[in-house]
Amino acid sequence: MKRIAVFTSGGDAPGMNACIRAVVRTAVYHGIEVYGIMRGYSGMVKGEFVKLDSASVSNTIQKGGTILKSARSQSFQTREGRQLAFDQLVNHGIDGLVAIGGNGTFTGATLFEQEFGIPIVGAPGTIDNDLYGTDYTIGYDTAVNTALEAIDKIRDTADSHDRCFFVEVMGRDSGYIAIPCAIGGGAEIVMIPETQLSTEAVIETLRNGRNRSKTSFLVVIAEGDEEGNAHEVARQVKAAIPQLDTRVTIIGHIQRGGAPSAADRMLASQIGIAAVEGLMNGMRNVMAGIVDRKLVYTPFADTIHKRKLINQSFMRMVEILNA
């Protein structure tokens, strides 16, 4: 490995810059040239390469977002587009890639490596924490704390006005953000894609709470829950319990932004180093991750296709603590 490139793809996550920084400085430490590819696969196709050094990533570890930016690329989804991307890598003398992103990023990386043989090591950068092969993904801890801070404030107003708030957090396919927000925020109910909690069960729980003289409630809903979004669940609850004063809050994209937590900076730095040294050691088509506090490399095929299961004891915690 004489020259590598790093890029970010998919949704941004707090800590991506810390990972970029770690990749760049690890490469410099080992005497490897490093380039940044702007706007993910789109920039790879268009040749948007910038040479990076230690100074390039100074004062970035604490910044949210990604200095390399991110964008969708329909061109890369075609064989012709991937050929253009490979030609750009060859023109810049790139020997290997570090891909920071999630499931979609690694799906593209797998196909690209199979067609053109370019070694790629992934770094799990997504707030959803839904990637198999790592206990935590870069950005997850920060996103949970951002959402929880908002929920704490919502709970204050719910209590002040005797209201029931339905709070929607991110998680199209996963409840990993919703569950700690529900437990840490003192929610009565959590609805996530991995469980089959019906709206009827929610209504029954709220009725039981009212019968125990509870006056305010908090329901945390992952955006991908099978019963629908927060507005739909709230509508059905209001129809069943008209006397309940309901409100809906969608926390939204603030979960993606902001300075990364200490945990995310540490994780991003550790994985950034591992990604570069993985390339140096001949690894390809794998994601660097941390499992049981140990560094592991998981094949992209497993990361993409194997499901990371929710600990069901967390659901029981919500039920017990709502008693």
Side-chain angles (χ1 to χ4, degrees):
M1 286 286 157
K2 295 182 179 180
R3 183 179 295 172
I4 66 171
V6 57
F7 66 96
T8 53
S9 179
D12 60 305
M16 279 186 164
N17 285 327
C19 190
I20 294 167
R21 173 181 180 269
V23 168
V24 171
R25 294 196 168 175
T26 303
V28 170
Y29 177 85
H30 288 292
I32 300 171
E33 283 188 283
V34 58
Y35 279 75
I37 303 174
M38 303 298 296
R39 298 173 183 84
Y41 290 120
S42 175
M44 194 183 300
V45 172
K46 297 175 182 176
E48 297 181 12
F49 290 64
V50 291
K51 195 170 189 307
L52 301 174
D53 56 23
S54 289
S56 305
V57 291
S58 293
N59 197 33
T60 60
I61 193 171
Q62 80 283 8
K63 293 181 178 178
T66 163
I67 59 172
L68 295 179
K69 301 187 181 296
S70 185
R72 296 184 183 276
S73 176
Q74 294 196 352
S75 177
F76 190 82
Q77 296 176 25
T78 68
R79 181 64 170 75
E80 294 75 16
R82 292 190 294 275
Q83 180 67 62
L84 289 173
F86 179 69
D87 292 343
Q88 294 287 1
L89 294 176
V90 171
N91 291 340
H92 287 84
I94 303 299
D95 300 314
L97 293 170
V98 174
I100 306 172
N103 196 293
T105 302
F106 301 153
T107 299
T110 299
L111 184 58
F112 195 46
E113 193 275 340
Q114 289 172 349
E115 291 177 341
F116 299 100
I118 184 79
I120 306 173
V121 174
T126 169
I127 66 170
D128 288 336
N129 197 36
D130 59 350
L131 293 176
Y132 180 89
T134 188
D135 289 339
Y136 300 104
T137 56
I138 297 165
Y140 170 66
D141 184 73
T142 307
V144 167
N145 281 286
T146 297
L148 188 57
E149 182 181 359
I151 286 170
D152 286 345
K153 295 174 180 178
I154 290 167
R155 194 162 189 87
D156 287 343
T157 194
D159 185 59
S160 297
H161 293 275
D162 294 340
R163 286 173 177 160
C164 176
F165 269 85
F166 298 84
V167 181
E168 185 176 297
V169 298
M170 284 186 165
R172 184 174 54 197
D173 301 307
S174 166
Y176 269 97
I177 294 176
I179 284 182
C181 284
I183 294 171
E188 282 72 26
I189 302 165
V190 60
M191 303 178 73
I192 61 175
E194 293 89 341
T195 64
Q196 300 296 318
L197 183 65
S198 67
T199 304
E200 289 75 16
V202 172
I203 291 168
E204 185 64 23
T205 299
L206 294 174
R207 278 182 175 145
N208 290 338
R210 286 174 60 83
N211 291 338
R212 299 197 311 270
S213 300
K214 277 194 172 187
T215 57
S216 66
F217 301 90
L218 180 65
V219 180
V220 175
I221 304 172
E223 62 181 328
D225 182 75
E226 70 281 352
E227 290 294 303
N229 59 29
H231 283 289
E232 176 58 23
V233 175
R235 184 191 65 78
Q236 293 185 44
V237 169
K238 183 66 174 177
I241 314 175
Q243 63 271 35
L244 197 62
D245 189 4
T246 60
R247 294 290 188 278
V248 174
T249 297
I250 298 175
I251 297 180
H253 283 77
I254 67 167
Q255 291 161 94
R256 289 197 185 279
S261 65
D264 273 328
R265 298 182 201 195
M266 284 289 292
L267 178 66
S269 298
Q270 189 175 5
I271 288 179
I273 293 171
V276 175
E277 294 185 341
L279 283 174
M280 293 172 61
N281 291 324
M283 293 188 176
R284 59 202 303 146
N285 242 17
V286 296
M287 180 193 77
I290 306 296
V291 176
D292 292 333
R293 300 185 182 181
K294 295 178 182 177
L295 174 66
V296 298
Y297 294 93
T298 301
F300 282 153
D302 289 346
T303 296
I304 294 165
H305 298 296
K306 290 187 177 181
R307 189 164 181 82
K308 185 175 179 180
L309 300 177
I310 287 284
N311 187 334
Q312 291 300 313
S313 68
F314 292 154
M315 301 300 294
R316 185 167 177 267
M317 285 176 65
V318 176
E319 181 181 356
I320 290 172
L321 296 174
N322 180 40

